[in-house]
Amino acid sequence: TAYVLHTSAVVVEVLGQEFKRQIPDLCVVNIVDDGLLPEIRKAGGLTPAVTRRMLGYGMVAQSAGADAIFNCCSSVGEAADLIRQIVEIPVVKVDESMAEDALSYGNRVAIVATVSATLLPTSRLVERKAQAAGKEILTFQHLVDGAFDLLTAGDLQKNDSMVSVAICRAAEQADVVI
């Protein structure tokens, strides 16, 4: 059983389908706290209150018998790092493999995000992974302002179009775009 921690309901279905496709026998339990991301966005980053709630969800997952926890929001990735310190089950972060893989493509890493509060934690994650790998990198941040609001309003096509344009622009200055 994997407990999936969400800060928005927007990817619950998509991730559920992907888990079913890749690990058909996996039992997935979703914990969705759609108040987390608005609080993070308003504060401009992770807050102590959000961190406490995330830690609580990690402890609930372990107490409920989860075999693993999957954190699916980069904006709370650093809280997921803290969850790792208090639970005895694996904690997987949605962006961790991506950050590690990005380093194999070069030292100029562009980070494209639809929520401003994602940019700094993702940059720090990539920088920590680079430091652990003994690589020097440069990161460039690109916010696709308004795209997330379109996504939550159901306009997937406009969101995707805006993100695609931003990725193309970011690729002009980077070896890899995440």
Side-chain angles (χ1 to χ4, degrees):
T1 301
Y3 273 60
V4 183
L5 307 181
H6 299 271
T7 59
S8 168
V10 74
V11 296
V12 171
E13 185 178 334
V14 172
L15 279 178
Q17 291 171 358
E18 192 60 26
F19 278 123
K20 193 171 293 292
R21 186 181 74 75
Q22 291 193 29
I23 315 169
D25 296 334
L26 181 66
C27 175
V28 173
V29 177
N30 294 294
I31 297 178
V32 181
D33 183 340
D34 60 4
L36 294 173
L37 198 51
E39 183 174 330
I40 292 166
R41 291 177 78 184
K42 182 177 179 184
L46 194 59
T47 66
V50 168
T51 300
R52 283 190 299 275
R53 290 193 346 242
M54 289 293 295
L55 292 172
Y57 297 139
M59 291 187 295
V60 165
Q62 179 172 292
S63 296
D67 298 301
I69 297 169
F70 185 84
N71 176 63
C72 68
C73 180
S74 299
S75 294
V76 294
E78 292 167 333
D81 292 333
L82 294 174
I83 294 171
R84 283 181 172 154
Q85 296 176 28
I86 64 166
V87 299
E88 298 164 353
I89 56 177
V91 177
V92 178
K93 293 167 46 175
V94 69
D95 54 359
E96 197 156 37
S97 291
M98 173 185 66
E100 291 167 354
D101 290 349
L103 301 176
S104 66
Y105 291 96
N107 67 344
R108 296 176 305 143
V109 180
I111 298 160
V112 175
T114 60
V115 175
S116 62
T118 297
L119 290 171
L120 284 176
T122 301
S123 293
R124 288 190 293 261
L125 173 63
V126 173
E127 289 162 2
R128 282 193 309 274
K129 294 296 179 182
Q131 185 177 27
K135 283 191 81 165
E136 288 190 32
I137 62 164
L138 296 172
T139 59
F140 307 93
Q141 299 176 358
H142 300 269
L143 176 63
V144 189
D145 198 25
F148 184 78
D149 295 325
L150 289 167
L151 179 64
T152 58
D155 195 343
L156 183 61
Q157 186 174 5
K158 180 67 174 164
N159 169 81
D160 289 355
S161 175
M162 290 175 69
V163 171
S164 294
V165 168
I167 289 170
C168 290
R169 286 188 184 139
E172 293 173 3
Q173 72 180 131
D175 300 316
V176 61
V177 179
I178 60 174

